[in-house]
Amino acid sequence: MMTNVQDTIEMYRKQNTDKARLLIKCPDQPGIVAAVSSFLVENGANIIESSQYSADPEGGNFFIRMEFHCPGLNLKREELEQSFVEISSKFDMTYEFRYVHDIKKTAIFVSKEPHCLMELLWEWQNGDLMMDIKCIISNYEDSKGLAESLGIPFYYIPANKDIRQQVEEKQLNILHEHGIELIILARYMQILTPHFVSHYPNQIVNIHHSFLPAFIGARPYERAYKRGVKLIGATSHYVTNDLDEGPIIEQGVERVNHRDNVEDMKRIGRNIERSVLARAIKWHIQDRVIVDGNKTIVF
C-alpha cells in the first residue's frame, strides 16, 4: 500500500516541478499587485492562480497568495528569491516562496479514538491529501496495526502529565530524525508544552471537539448537553501556548435537539471532526493559510 502512495507522490512531484506559490503579508498601499505580477512575468513565470485581501485599505494589512508556473524553476529558485528582496523591502513584506513539489513531511499524533486518523489516511491514500506521512506517534497502541498495514512507522510512547518532559524529548528526537514539517494532532489527548510548540510555530494543527470558543477544555459534549445547545461543532486550529486558543483554520457545525443524548452528540461530533480536520490540513498543505496574529486568512 505504501508503494502505491509513494508512486502517487512521485508523480505529483514530477508534474509540479515548475510550480510555486508566493505568500505575502504587508501594509496595504498602492502598487503591490502590479509590482509582484511584473516581477514574476519578468522572471518568465505565468500566474495561474491569484487571491488577495485587504484588512483595511487605510492602515490595514494586505495579503496575497499567488501560484505560478515557471519553466526551469528548480535552477532559478535561489536567483528568484534573491531578486525579490528589493520588492519586499520596498513594500515592507513578510513573504515566503513555497515550491509545490516539496511535499510536506508529516507526523500524525493520535490517542485512542481513531476516526480522525482514519479519515486522514483514507484521503492520503486517495491522493486528496498530498503529504508525506513519515510516522504516527501515539500514547496508546490501538492504531499500531493500522499504521503497520500501510507501512507507516508507528511509535508508541506512553504519556501523562508527570513524565511530559521526557515524553516530549523522545517525540522531538523522532520528529527531527524524520525532518518533520507538519504535525497533525488527530485527537491526541495530551497538552503540549511551550518548549515543544516553540519548535514548530504554525506547523502544529489540532482538531478540537467543540465549536470554539465555546466549551474549551475537556468533556465538551457533556457540558454542551447540559447546556441544551442546538448546534454542536468542531474547530481546527494551529497550536499555541494558549490552550485551544490558537489561530482558527476551519470550523463546522451540525444541528442537534433535545432528543440527542451525549452519545448521539459524540457520534455526530466525530463526523464533523473528521471533515473539519481534513479540510484544514488540505488548505495548510496547499499553502492557502496566512497567519495574522491570532487570526488566519484562508484563500
Side-chain angles (χ1 to χ4, degrees):
M1 184 65 70
M2 189 69 166
T3 302
N4 293 337
V5 175
Q6 291 300 332
D7 288 345
T8 301
I9 289 175
E10 286 308 312
M11 184 180 298
Y12 179 87
R13 282 194 173 113
K14 289 179 182 178
Q15 291 173 341
N16 292 280
T17 301
D18 293 331
K19 286 184 184 177
R21 296 156 186 154
L22 178 55
L23 305 182
I24 298 171
K25 177 172 70 173
C26 64
D28 199 357
Q29 56 192 292
I32 299 170
V33 175
V36 175
S37 301
S38 297
F39 169 83
L40 291 175
V41 170
E42 288 164 5
N43 282 275
N46 180 34
I47 299 169
I48 54 180
E49 184 178 337
S50 180
S51 301
Q52 62 196 61
Y53 167 71
S54 174
D56 186 344
E58 298 182 7
N61 280 328
F62 187 71
F63 306 86
I64 310 176
R65 177 190 183 273
M66 282 189 178
E67 185 166 333
F68 60 91
H69 178 271
C70 184
L73 183 59
N74 259 345
L75 300 176
K76 295 180 179 179
R77 283 170 64 152
E78 189 174 341
E79 179 186 348
L80 194 69
E81 293 188 26
Q82 288 178 351
S83 300
F84 192 72
V85 171
E86 183 179 346
I87 290 176
S88 68
S89 299
K90 178 181 177 181
F91 291 98
D92 192 21
M93 293 176 174
T94 300
Y95 70 96
E96 279 189 84
F97 283 89
R98 305 272 182 87
Y99 299 92
V100 177
H101 74 281
D102 289 346
I103 308 298
K104 290 177 175 58
K105 296 175 183 177
T106 303
I108 303 176
F109 283 46
V110 64
S111 289
K112 285 188 72 70
E113 295 191 60
H115 55 284
C116 287
L117 172 64
M118 294 177 72
E119 180 71 24
L120 295 173
L121 294 176
W122 171 253
E123 297 210 24
W124 172 69
Q125 289 175 260
N126 287 339
D128 293 328
L129 286 177
M130 195 53 60
M131 55 189 180
D132 188 1
I133 301 177
K134 290 295 186 183
C135 61
I136 295 172
I137 297 175
S138 180
N139 55 331
Y140 291 89
E141 293 189 273
D142 300 53
S143 299
K144 182 177 180 181
L146 176 60
E148 291 179 346
S149 71
L150 295 172
I152 301 171
F154 181 87
Y155 298 92
Y156 166 56
I157 306 176
N160 61 61
K161 63 181 180 181
D162 298 323
I163 56 171
R164 187 161 289 152
Q165 183 177 344
Q166 301 95 300
V167 167
E168 289 191 346
E169 286 304 318
K170 290 180 183 178
Q171 293 170 339
L172 286 170
N173 287 336
I174 293 168
L175 299 176
H176 293 156
E177 179 185 331
H178 287 288
I180 296 301
E181 301 161 293
L182 169 64
I183 299 169
I184 304 171
L185 306 184
R187 292 304 305 275
Y188 181 66
M189 308 307 288
Q190 293 288 314
I191 295 173
L192 302 179
T193 67
H195 172 71
F196 186 100
V197 173
S198 69
H199 285 76
Y200 295 93
N202 298 327
Q203 294 172 282
I204 308 173
V205 178
N206 183 43
I207 182 68
H208 190 275
H209 47 308
S210 176
F211 190 72
L212 296 175
F215 305 115
I216 290 173
R219 302 175 66 83
Y221 292 118
E222 285 81 357
R223 288 183 289 139
Y225 175 74
K226 289 179 181 178
R227 184 66 182 82
V229 303
K230 305 307 179 191
L231 289 171
I232 61 171
T235 301
S236 186
H237 63 94
Y238 290 114
V239 175
T240 64
N241 293 333
D242 297 318
L243 180 64
D244 298 332
E245 293 189 17
I248 292 171
I249 305 170
E250 172 63 335
Q251 296 182 287
V253 294
E254 288 288 345
R255 186 166 291 280
V256 294
N257 61 38
H258 58 277
R259 292 182 177 88
D260 295 307
N261 59 31
V262 172
E263 290 306 312
D264 293 329
M265 288 186 176
K266 288 182 177 180
R267 174 179 50 78
I268 297 168
R270 284 193 290 268
N271 288 333
I272 310 171
E273 293 162 24
R274 287 163 35 195
S275 60
V276 167
L277 180 59
R279 286 198 299 273
I281 296 303
K282 185 174 295 184
W283 295 339
H284 177 90
I285 63 179
Q286 291 178 349
D287 304 311
R288 295 190 177 278
V289 186
I290 299 177
V291 176
D292 182 34
N294 203 41
K295 296 172 63 177
T296 61
I297 309 301
V298 183
F299 287 118

